[in-house]
Amino acid sequence: MAFHLRGTVLPDGVVRDLWILGDRITFERPSGAVETVADGGFLLPGLVDVHTHPGVRDEDGASSFDAGLFAEQIAAHRDAGTTALRFPGLLGEIPAELRDAPGSPRMITAGRWLAWAGLSRSAPFHTVAEDLVAAAVAEAKAHDGWCKLMGDWDFEAAAVPYALLREVVDGVHAVGARVAVHCQSAEGVLHAARAGVDSIEHGMGMPEECVGIMAAHGTTFVPTLTAFAGSAPRRTGDTPRDRLWREGHRTLIRRVREAYDAGVTVLAGTDSAPFGNVAGEVGHLIAAGLPAEAAVGAASWSARAFLGLGGLTEGGLADVTVHDADPRREPGVLRHPRRIVLRGRVVR
Ligand SMILES: [Zn+2]
């Protein structure tokens, strides 16, 4: 049986009838039996979190992949209306039985976190690669067309050299894949921006000139403000690292609006627990100065376009959330989808 929904379709803002046939959307009424599951409200192609790392268990200073925890955490995303996820760094492989399961959000993984041998080896979740270019190409090919690099790590240590990052970008682009780079220092962000990476993750301490460089390269910016808002209250000390951290955080918040104004796509990623909280990141993006429509798109249609998933279009994938009010005016409604359709099935 087909499902029928009627409501204001975003981002177009037009009231339409749409039907779900299997895992596809159509605007043409099908001939068979139809069940109306939503009449009124605002229709999104679901929420998207482009920066989340489910399944990491930390114990005794070591991190490991826990498939049970992974299943719980992607379910938390789904139950919040998150229909698609990108993992820029995952400690294990997506369990085969969950990969395309009816209840699983659509998932895109970049494989492991790859670290240049010149960076600190202190992080328990990094995979140190002696040949970073070869490792990045292999990781992107083995996964969903993405790899994830650490562009820097310790504040006191050097970032990955620009020339090496550039080689990685050229190598990965040559096989039609994309590069996501973690940066949290001015030097790290500058090298990543100049190298033309596909997405800058975090971007703490981003120098002003990076905004124009990202715009010129079409680099996407995922500031993960949720993660920093969570850890900011713990950074009250007076060590050089604390001061760098606080200043880097203030700079990051300023750059969100500047990047948007320069034409950079800014997307929503939470990075840290709780899972299923991308609506919270939308709130942080708006607080940083992003227009509400762009902030909602950052966690929905713009993010789906970035991941190649598409929105609410004829023949599009059948992911829909229904909200009681216009999230562009009341972003808080993103937290309480009245209806969730995932892979053509009614989850709620
Ligand atoms: Zn992360």
Side-chain angles (χ1 to χ4, degrees), residues 126-203:
H126 297 167
T127 298
V128 176
E130 298 304 327
D131 183 342
L132 198 60
V133 179
V137 169
E139 206 66 6
K141 284 168 82 171
H143 295 90
D144 299 314
W146 279 95
C147 62
K148 171 70 181 288
L149 258 63
M150 302 306 294
D152 52 24
W153 185 240
D154 287 333
F155 285 111
E156 295 82 358
V160 179
Y162 159 74
L164 179 55
L165 265 186
R166 186 60 210 256
E167 263 188 77
V168 170
V169 169
D170 288 345
V172 173
H173 284 180
V175 297
R178 293 191 275 180
V179 183
V181 179
H182 164 114
C183 325
Q184 59 188 35
S185 68
E187 187 190 31
V189 188
L190 186 58
H191 288 183
R194 286 180 58 215
V197 306
D198 297 281
S199 69
I200 287 185
E201 313 290 322
H202 317 303

Side-chain angles (χ1 to χ4, degrees), residues 14 60 70 86 104 132 156 162 201 236 243 315 335 340:
V14 177
D60 305 324
F70 176 90
R86 183 183 62 143
S104 292
L132 198 60
E156 295 82 358
Y162 159 74
E201 313 290 322
T236 54
R243 286 197 296 273
R335 290 193 179 279
I340 302 168

Side-chain angles (χ1 to χ4, degrees), residues 176-327:
R178 293 191 275 180
V179 183
V181 179
H182 164 114
C183 325
Q184 59 188 35
S185 68
E187 187 190 31
V189 188
L190 186 58
H191 288 183
R194 286 180 58 215
V197 306
D198 297 281
S199 69
I200 287 185
E201 313 290 322
H202 317 303
M204 225 170 50
M206 179 185 289
E208 195 174 356
E209 65 189 289
C210 287
V211 168
I213 301 173
M214 285 195 295
H217 283 142
T219 300
T220 295
F221 179 24
V222 186
T224 65
L225 299 171
T226 302
F228 297 108
S231 45
R234 297 197 293 273
R235 292 288 184 166
T236 54
D238 205 30
T239 65
R241 176 176 278 228
D242 286 324
R243 286 197 296 273
L244 252 178
W245 199 97
R246 285 197 298 271
E247 181 51 40
H249 184 212
R250 278 195 291 272
T251 304
L252 171 66
I253 290 169
R254 272 204 306 279
R255 298 291 178 251
V256 168
R257 175 67 199 228
E258 292 170 6
Y260 172 78
D261 285 342
V264 173
T265 299
V266 178
L267 295 181
T270 55
D271 196 26
S272 49
F275 294 82
N277 185 38
V278 77
E281 180 69 10
V282 172
H284 286 298
L285 291 172
I286 292 170
L290 212 64
E293 175 155 8
V296 175
S300 184
W301 55 84
S302 303
R304 286 184 72 99
F306 170 71
L307 297 177
L309 294 171
L312 299 178
T313 55
E314 181 66 35
L317 293 170
D319 301 329
V320 190
T321 51
V322 183
H323 303 269
D324 287 327
D326 186 345

Side-chain angles (χ1 to χ4, degrees), residues 33 43 56 82 110 121 184 195 215 240 242 293-294 337:
L43 274 48
V56 179
T82 314
R121 292 171 185 251
Q184 59 188 35
D242 286 324
E293 175 155 8

